Amino acid sequence: MTKKLLTLISLVFLASACSLYHVDSADVTTNYYPSKKSASDVVYLETVTEPHEIIGYVTVNTERRHTIEDVLDKIKREAAILGGDAITDIRTDATGEWKKLPAQKLIGNAYIRANFTAAVVVFKN
């Protein structure tokens, strides 16, 4: 019995340091754009000044304690798969279930998970 309890406690401690990410993307264009070779081929721009087209959106769902710097590589990797040149317009929001809880003014930012969503763009030549 003690051995089982110690094993369970050990597993809980090992699993508590894990971060779970869920990456999802959506195409919004019918044009084909080949994937980039690497996530480093995709840049982050706060504002896009060049002519461009939005080809999709990437959403990363993770614990709210993560900052944008933590999820930026995951967003870029998914944008590279979509064939994007850049990501922009990054927004963060609580997940759906947490928004439905009553007394939102009372709980404020007490949600556990957050969505980071970015627009994927390609530059027009």
Side-chain angles (χ1 to χ4, degrees):
M1 182 67 176
T2 306
K3 193 173 193 177
K4 288 182 183 180
L5 183 61
L6 288 175
T7 303
L8 178 64
I9 291 172
S10 298
L11 287 174
V12 168
F13 279 118
L14 289 174
S16 67
C18 297
S19 290
L20 299 175
Y21 293 93
H22 178 75
V23 181
D24 191 23
S25 61
D27 290 328
V28 295
T29 183
T30 56
N31 296 335
Y32 171 73
Y33 297 97
S35 298
K36 303 293 182 197
K37 295 187 188 304
S38 150
S40 61
D41 294 337
V42 178
V43 295
Y44 166 64
L45 301 171
E46 280 191 37
T47 56
V48 182
T49 56
E50 299 177 44
H52 65 280
E53 176 187 358
I54 295 177
I55 63 167
Y57 294 93
V58 175
T59 301
V60 176
N61 179 276
T62 187
E63 292 89 10
R64 79 175 189 121
R65 65 182 168 85
H66 290 286
T67 62
I68 191 64
E69 290 81 19
D70 296 334
V71 298
L72 201 55
D73 286 335
K74 290 170 182 26
I75 294 173
K76 284 183 175 182
R77 183 177 56 208
E78 191 70 16
I81 292 169
L82 291 175
D85 294 322
I87 56 172
T88 188
D89 192 26
I90 297 178
R91 299 174 309 277
T92 184
D93 194 7
T95 58
E97 293 301 318
W98 287 96
K99 287 191 226 178
K100 296 176 188 175
L101 291 176
Q104 284 294 313
K105 289 184 180 181
L106 178 64
I107 61 173
N109 284 337
Y111 56 88
I112 295 174
R113 307 234 359 127
N115 290 325
F116 292 86
T117 304
V120 180
V121 300
V122 292
F123 299 122
K124 295 182 179 182
N125 295 333

